[in-house]
Every structure is written in structure tokens, then in C-alpha cells.
Amino acid sequence: MEGSRRACWLLCMCAVLAGCTATPAPRGEVKGASTSGKEMGQSDTNRIATIAMRDNLDSLYLLMDKLYRRNPAEWKKTAATREDAVKRVRNAIEQRQVWPGLQGQRDIKALSLALTPDFSGDRVAAFIYASTDMIITAHDGKTEFFLIDGLDAQHLYNAARNIEIAIWLMGSRRDATGKILLLSDDISESGRNLSFEREFGKIVGRLDLLAEFVTEKYRRVGINYVQNLFGGSLLQFLPVR
């Protein structure tokens, strides 16, 4: 009887393990962009900067959609649907147009205006447009980078700090009615939604890493020169006859 129970238990465990191995949790995979002719005119730094910019734009577009879902009153100020509002902002960003609700302001001035408590326009559109414009400005006004392009590490670092400041202002300042400027993360008894914080954190992380990489690039020039100088005389094969 005891042996039968043990056998039954082993069979159950095998079934559970088999079920676990048959349906593993999806973990995704790294996906690289397809090779294009443009890459022939890009250094490693150019390529990394281009990919980081692409990912930061995608993050900002995702955040715009999420902010509109949390703050539907904002897109209703400028568009018939949320999708139309998103499209208008994306077009303005990608065509480098001035956003009409920001009184002709760009860069950090636009970001400051978008986070003013008495701002009455579409705050989501203004905030995302201004954040994007500020980041592109920090990249010398470009979204793709080639051998003739250079980046200022301090400007990239400053852009990361500006995003951190903007997030804090968005969640701490209140309008005339006492409401915070824009609803984002939610921490309540029903659960925790920190997806906004995570996505903004990705943007800050990319900017900081690129700033450090650019700084390291110029520092390594001298080190590589010395390595090549000494390597030319020290790392040679020795005669054997």
C-alpha cells in the first residue's frame, strides 16, 4: 500500500514537471535592426546614439498614449479621438514643427510652460512634445547620427536630469483646482501601477549611458594610442632561429 502511494506521488510529480517543461514562461529575445546602407557612414558611437534615440522616441510615444488614457480630458481639448491626438503630436515631433499650444516655445522653455499650473491647453501633448524637443536639442537637433556628427556628453547628461525634474514637477505640482498636473503611476489598496516610472527610467538610463559612453570615447583615444605605441614593440613574435 505504501509503495502504491509512493508510486502515485512520483507519477503526479512527473506530470507536473512535464507540464512545466512543456509550457515555459515566455522570455522574449533580443531583436536587432536589419542592416542598411546608412550604417556604412556610422561609427559605433553613431549607431548606439541612433538606436538610443529611436528607443527614447518609442518610450515617449508609449507614455503619451498611457497619459492620454489616464487623463482623457486632455486629448479632448485638441482632437476628436485619442488616436487623432497621438497622431498630431507625433507628426509635429517627426516633422520638427512648432506645437501650437506652446506659444512658439521650444526645448526647456516649452517644457517649463507645459508644467505651469495655469496651462490650459492639452497638457499631455505639450509635455510629450516639449520633452521630445528637449532631448532632440540635446542631440544637436538630430535623430540619426553619422561620422560627421558629434555629441556633447554634458548636454546628454543635462537632458537626463531635465526628465527627472519634469517627472517630479508633473507629480507634485497642482492646478488651480488642487489636482496634480497629470495622473500617471497609481499606488492604492487595489494595487500598484508603476509603469510610468519604469518607462521614464528607461529614458533617463539611456541618456546617462550615452553621455558616459561619449565621454569614455574621447578618453579612450589617448589610451588606445599608448596601447598601440607600446604594442607595436612589445607584442611582437620573437625569433626562434
Side-chain angles (χ1 to χ4, degrees), residues 95-153:
Q95 296 173 21
R96 301 293 286 146
Q97 300 172 346
V98 176
W99 184 251
L102 287 169
Q103 305 171 12
Q105 301 293 338
R106 306 291 294 260
D107 190 10
I108 56 175
K109 290 184 178 180
L111 190 55
S112 179
L113 179 59
L115 294 170
T116 301
D118 58 358
F119 182 80
S120 59
D122 180 344
R123 195 184 296 277
V124 171
F127 174 68
I128 294 297
Y129 174 88
S131 297
T132 307
D133 192 65
M134 182 271 297
I135 290 175
I136 293 176
T137 299
H139 288 75
D140 199 26
K142 301 180 178 70
T143 56
E144 287 187 299
F145 307 92
F146 299 93
L147 293 172
I148 60 173
D149 298 320
L151 291 169
D152 188 306

Side-chain angles (χ1 to χ4, degrees), residues 24-37:
R27 295 190 175 121
E29 60 182 13
V30 176
K31 294 182 180 180
S34 56
T35 304
S36 67

Side-chain angles (χ1 to χ4, degrees), residues 87-228:
K87 185 177 180 180
R88 286 186 61 194
V89 179
R90 287 192 63 153
N91 287 341
I93 291 171
E94 292 169 5
Q95 296 173 21
R96 301 293 286 146
Q97 300 172 346
V98 176
W99 184 251
L102 287 169
Q103 305 171 12
Q105 301 293 338
R106 306 291 294 260
D107 190 10
I108 56 175
K109 290 184 178 180
L111 190 55
S112 179
L113 179 59
L115 294 170
T116 301
D118 58 358
F119 182 80
S120 59
D122 180 344
R123 195 184 296 277
V124 171
F127 174 68
I128 294 297
Y129 174 88
S131 297
T132 307
D133 192 65
M134 182 271 297
I135 290 175
I136 293 176
T137 299
H139 288 75
D140 199 26
K142 301 180 178 70
T143 56
E144 287 187 299
F145 307 92
F146 299 93
L147 293 172
I148 60 173
D149 298 320
L151 291 169
D152 188 306
Q154 188 62 49
H155 290 166
L156 299 173
Y157 176 87
N158 291 349
R161 304 291 76 74
N162 287 341
I163 291 294
E164 290 177 335
I165 293 169
I167 297 167
W168 186 84
L169 291 175
M170 184 180 71
S172 61
R173 279 184 176 174
R174 297 180 179 273
D175 61 18
T177 65
K179 296 179 180 178
I180 61 173
L181 300 186
L182 288 173
L183 295 174
S184 54
D185 288 328
D186 180 42
I187 302 177
S188 62
E189 295 180 358
S190 59
R192 293 163 58 90
N193 175 13
L194 301 178
S195 59
F196 289 88
E197 180 181 327
R198 287 195 297 269
E199 203 63 40
F200 277 119
K202 291 178 184 179
I203 296 172
V204 172
R206 293 186 196 110
L207 289 169
D208 275 337
L209 181 59
L210 184 57
E212 189 171 353
F213 185 82
V214 171
T215 301
E216 193 74 3
K217 169 192 171 185
Y218 294 115
R219 192 180 70 84
R220 291 293 302 180
V221 169
I223 295 175
N224 291 339
Y225 174 78
V226 174
Q227 287 178 337
N228 291 333

